[in-house]
Amino acid sequence: MKFFLDTANIAEIRELSATGLVDGITTNPSLAAKTGRPMTEIIAEICEAVEGPVSAEVLATDTEGMLREAEVLAAIADNVVIKLPLTFDGLKACRKLADKGIKVNVTLCFSAVQALLAAKAGATFVSPFVGRLDDIGHDGMALISDIVEIYRNYPQYTTEVLVASARHPYHVLEAARLGAHVVTLPPATLRQLVKHPLTDSGIAQFLADAEKAGLSIPPRG
Ligand code: G3P
């Protein structure tokens, strides 16, 4: 399962990429706005810092405008993935970009039939927003289950299910159980995944016992 980081914060991206656990980056206009910097500059910096796919979202809402912006974003680096909204305009743009070999992440997906359309339009990734569905009293992970099942029925679709708007470790656990291809996580959630109180107390106990017994591992040589 791939882990993407859902942030445009370059310091966080550099720090967490050093763990070797980050396979790519997703951004959106809200995350880019938080940096207070020009979008093309941020995307260029992120693309230099990571080897994996970096999703950069268009701002236009019509197909022509999306394609114009996509051209600018795709020219930044080879690992840019164009993020398009799940509308007819977005799907039309997706098909055109996919036919040119440009990778697309179709975003703001909230239903399984929308995800089916994204696959038919040739998306490389579809991003169902699980947390935002949970926020309105729906079951975000049930949507992932439906999409994974539908895509498995049609192996000709190669679109990867990218679980987005994941907010806590349980979303990650369920996404992995269901066989989703990717989960994108805010930096804080990725940090949460490694934490367990028994790991911390276990280390403390081992070190205390080693110290009491005077154990050490001398350098080689
Ligand atoms: O990048 C899209 C998505 O992950 C947004 O998450 O927490 O704003 O719903 P959130």
Side-chain angles (χ1 to χ4, degrees):
M1 184 189 210
K2 286 176 272 192
F3 282 4
F4 289 178
L5 263 190
D6 198 25
T7 183
N9 181 317
I10 190 70
E12 294 273 39
I13 289 170
R14 289 210 172 102
E15 189 182 326
L16 285 165
S17 292
T19 63
L21 297 168
V22 177
D23 302 297
I25 306 294
T26 51
T27 67
N28 62 39
S30 306
L31 294 171
K34 276 193 204 163
T35 68
R37 297 172 53 206
M39 234 177 95
T40 48
E41 192 181 295
I42 308 162
I43 298 298
E45 204 170 32
I46 298 173
C47 288
E48 253 186 56
V50 300
E51 278 178 23
V54 175
S55 289
E57 191 157 345
V58 298
L59 300 173
T61 54
D62 63 298
T63 306
E64 287 315 309
M66 288 178 193
L67 291 172
R68 265 196 309 276
E69 292 178 359
E71 203 180 318
V72 174
L73 295 171
I76 295 175
D78 287 346
N79 51 341
V80 167
V81 174
I82 304 300
K83 216 170 170 189
L84 301 172
L86 214 157
T87 58
F88 274 131
D89 281 277
L91 294 171
K92 273 161 70 185
C94 178
R95 171 45 64 202
K96 285 192 190 308
L97 294 173
D99 287 347
K100 283 205 230 166
I102 295 174
K103 290 183 175 166
V104 175
N105 175 356
V106 174
T107 189
L108 292 164
C109 172
F110 292 96
S111 81
V113 285
Q114 284 184 318
L116 187 55
L117 298 182
K120 283 182 75 68
T124 299
F125 302 104
V126 66
S127 290
F129 278 32
V130 294
R132 291 191 193 185
L133 279 171
D134 293 350
D135 289 346
I136 59 160
H138 288 238
D139 182 349
M141 294 317 298
L143 171 60
I144 302 303
S145 171
D146 284 348
I147 299 172
V148 168
E149 182 187 340
I150 289 169
Y151 282 8
R152 280 198 186 130
N153 289 341
Y154 301 97
Q156 69 268 34
Y157 297 139
T158 53
T159 307
E160 296 194 8
V161 181
L162 193 170
V163 178
S165 185
R167 310 261 178 80
H168 46 73
Y170 188 71
H171 280 143
V172 181
L173 175 66
E174 280 301 295
R177 274 195 173 136
L178 292 167
H181 305 85
V182 192
V183 64
T184 189
L185 299 169
T189 311
L190 180 58
R191 288 198 175 89
Q192 259 184 305
L193 296 186
V194 79
K195 282 281 163 204
H196 197 289
L198 292 178
T199 304
D200 296 340
S201 61
I203 292 171
Q205 181 68 58
F206 288 155
L207 292 181
D209 290 346
E211 197 183 330
K212 242 185 277 165
L215 301 184
S216 68
I217 302 172
R220 288 179 80 188

